[in-house]
Amino acid sequence: MAELLREHGAHPVIAPAIAVVPPLDGGQPLDDALLRLEQFSWVAFTSPNAVAATLARADRRGVRRRFARIRVAAVGPATAARVEAELDRPANLVPDRNDGAGLAAAFPDPRPDDACFVPHSAQARPELVDGLRARGWTVDAVSAYRTVTPTLSDHLIADMAAADAVIFASPSAVHGHLTQIGDRPVSGKVICIGRTTAAACAEADLPVAAVASRPSDDGLIEAVIAAGNG
């Protein structure tokens, strides 16, 4: 995405708003779920980080091969791409609406004894799990990772605060960025990758200038251009 911004004449300021670390529970609930993976008919991933953390843990427990027998749902194209990279096969389900509620709505009706495994962030929003349970699914949701806010240099924070546009690709990035800049206002136009991220901005009273029409780098660049022309 930074390269695409440069191609359009922009100067990207790369500022990591989150860092991915192990869950506070030490990963034991994730291990327990992985060791009984054959009990699940589906696994649902809501981020590339969830895919990476879950498969890394599966490697440590020697159970990656068990994913060959389970159907995989991915919330959007980036998550589906990580699924394919990790498992060497495409996701079985990618919804048209790329958020937790959209993924829950796209699931088939459960059959008797169907269960879904949802490894997600410790700070995950509840829409997917609540939506699946409301439709009759048995859901085992566990923390595969958590996000923390990195400490950035004063110089980088000053560059962030002076930016003409701020691009957010996840709710956790919104919260991390606001923590990093402290009392400084967000003066640039805010661009979000999707509705869930835009909702996090709304919860923080942060006006959104544009939301990408599709959750991809190209979609974000188009939204940046649209916001700049608005």
Side-chain angles (χ1 to χ4, degrees):
M1 186 170 63
E3 185 57 37
L4 287 173
L5 286 166
R6 293 187 186 98
E7 290 175 4
H8 284 86
H11 173 65
V13 177
I14 310 301
I18 63 171
V20 176
V21 297
L24 290 174
D25 59 23
Q28 189 59 52
L30 178 58
D31 283 347
D32 292 344
L34 288 170
L35 291 173
R36 52 186 176 82
L37 197 62
E38 66 279 355
Q39 297 178 10
F40 302 105
S41 45
W42 283 85
V43 57
F45 292 115
T46 56
S47 71
N49 285 330
V51 180
T54 301
L55 271 297
R57 198 81 181 188
D59 283 338
R60 291 179 61 182
R61 295 294 172 259
V63 297
R64 175 184 284 255
R65 65 186 182 280
R66 298 184 186 180
F67 280 90
R69 299 188 296 274
I70 187 171
R71 284 165 287 181
V72 180
V75 73
T79 304
R82 190 60 186 256
V83 166
E84 187 157 10
E86 292 278 0
L87 296 178
D88 197 28
R89 65 183 176 95
N92 301 92
L93 174 64
V94 183
D96 292 329
R97 176 180 168 184
N98 303 129
D99 57 24
L103 183 54
F107 255 74
D109 291 330
R111 299 169 300 181
D113 300 324
D114 265 347
C116 183
F117 171 38
V118 182
H120 57 188
S121 164
Q123 298 99 326
R125 296 175 69 91
E127 287 85 356
L128 173 60
V129 172
D130 288 353
L132 287 173
R133 286 175 175 159
R135 296 192 53 207
W137 278 88
T138 297
V139 180
D140 193 342
V142 300
S143 296
Y145 68 99
R146 61 189 171 96
T147 58
V148 295
T149 304
T151 300
L152 304 180
S153 69
D154 291 341
H155 177 73
L156 181 52
I157 291 174
D159 287 346
M160 291 159 51
D164 297 300
V166 183
I167 301 172
F168 292 121
S170 70
S172 55
V174 176
H175 301 312
H177 178 76
L178 294 177
T179 298
Q180 289 167 333
I181 64 174
D183 295 333
R184 296 176 179 84
V186 178
S187 57
K189 293 184 176 180
V190 173
I191 318 299
C192 294
I193 196 168
R195 286 182 288 249
T196 303
T197 303
C201 289
E203 291 170 2
D205 294 324
L206 191 61
V208 174
V211 178
S213 61
R214 57 190 186 282
S216 65
D217 289 346
D218 288 336
L220 280 168
I221 297 301
E222 291 171 4
V224 171
I225 294 171
N229 292 335

